[in-house]
Amino acid sequence: MQTIEKLLTRFDPLTGVIDGEPTVKRHLRDLRDCFADSASYDAALAAGDPLIYSVASVEPANGAGDLQYGLGRLMPGCIGNEYFMTKGHLHSWREAGEFYFGLSGEGVMLLENEKTGESRMVSLRPHQAVYVPGLTAHRTINVGTTPLTYLGVFPAKAGHDYSAMAERNFRCVVVERNGEPVMLERKNLS
Amino acid sequence: MQTIEKLLTRFDPLTGVIDGEPTVKRHLRDLRDCFADSASYDAALAAGDPLIYSVASVEPANGAGDLQYGLGRLMPGCIGNEYFMTKGHLHSWREAGEFYFGLSGEGVMLLENEKTGESRMVSLRPHQAVYVPGLTAHRTINVGTTPLTYLGVFPAKAGHDYSAMAERNFRCVVVERNGEPVMLERKNLS
């Protein structure tokens, strides 16, 4: 059996760190083309390049039946009226689902069926689980005023495909309207 | 895509309920032969048949890449000096791993490699994750004084095999010694 150190991990939702595990950090400059309002994006980037989110990840094993998992921490904020978000991804193994669970803060997930483009906005808050089916692009969005932290669990063989969504972008955006998150079609933005 | 109702669930760690999902309840009578001290077990059962644990489970989908998950709630207590525990299981698909995450209370997991019998006791507390590798029998144990709640995520095709461990039992037990949980070999119990 693996050592205890590989079996047990400790999450710190305050810092987004899993003790002893690698953390990827994404800054504003890494999210070019994610935001619809490019003028606001350029203005924000000219003023600085803040950390937008981090993901700590654990890969205990790589067999066909194994799982991997991570701790995401997404900062609050907006570019124009569009909330801070993750890049979003599909799984390389398209059939792979993913389990998300909210730990702190107020978020939503934007889900988009790869075949049909059908989109949904689903709440992600503490003690809420969101199941992301296979063949579904998914992006996490902080719609609150504090860091959003959440865990994600996925099959070890899922893999992450960021390129497909980077090329065509998500069909919908989530923007703030009268203090509430609203999902709109990107093509209908004025 | 599935309806929002199938994608979003709400956990209530206080009650062990996931809104609208089925819950299995295990009482003391269901745990015959799990506890080493059969005289104390019989005495406890004669005095009543309390709820020991419940598991609420969600099966969003059943494809090769899908995941299923559940919320466990295990009561505090002892039979003799052995803490309340779940039955424990292997996965029918032996290669399947499982991700556990503590939500409230103080627990441990007892892990036993099916081939070698090698056993480990691993802490399970809020914001701690325990990864259960494939080919590993696993049982959850409440070593605190309040209900232990935790989530578990596993491949949809894992399946649950309770019979193998019911027949031969776990090689080790977890008992209270001077207020602390200690793992001992069952055959060495006095």
Side-chain angles (χ1 to χ4, degrees), chain A residues 7 10-11 66 127-128 131, chain B residues 7 10-11 66 128 131:
Chain A
L7 301 176
R10 297 165 205 274
F11 285 46
D66 280 307
H127 292 153
Q128 290 185 341
Y131 186 69
Chain B
L7 301 176
R10 298 164 203 276
F11 285 46
D66 281 307
Q128 289 186 340
Y131 187 68

Side-chain angles (χ1 to χ4, degrees), chain A residues 107-157:
Chain A
V108 298
M109 294 195 68
L110 178 61
L111 310 182
E112 178 177 323
N113 183 290
E114 187 185 17
K115 302 293 187 199
T116 65
E118 183 189 4
S119 298
R120 290 188 188 277
M121 182 177 74
V122 185
S123 175
L124 180 66
R125 299 197 176 201
H127 292 153
Q128 290 185 341
V130 175
Y131 186 69
V132 180
L135 295 159
T136 304
H138 45 291
R139 158 175 282 171
T140 310
I141 300 169
N142 187 337
V143 300
T145 57
T146 59
L148 171 71
T149 60
Y150 53 91
L151 70 86
V153 185
F154 49 90
K157 61 182 274 199

Side-chain angles (χ1 to χ4, degrees), chain B residues 32-52:
Chain B
R32 179 169 296 283
D33 298 328
C34 289
F35 294 96
D37 181 346
S38 57
S40 292
Y41 175 85
D42 289 339
L45 194 58
D49 184 27
L51 175 70
I52 306 298

Side-chain angles (χ1 to χ4, degrees), chain B residues 50-61:
Chain B
L51 175 70
I52 306 298
Y53 68 97
S54 64
V55 179
S57 56
V58 182
E59 302 181 359

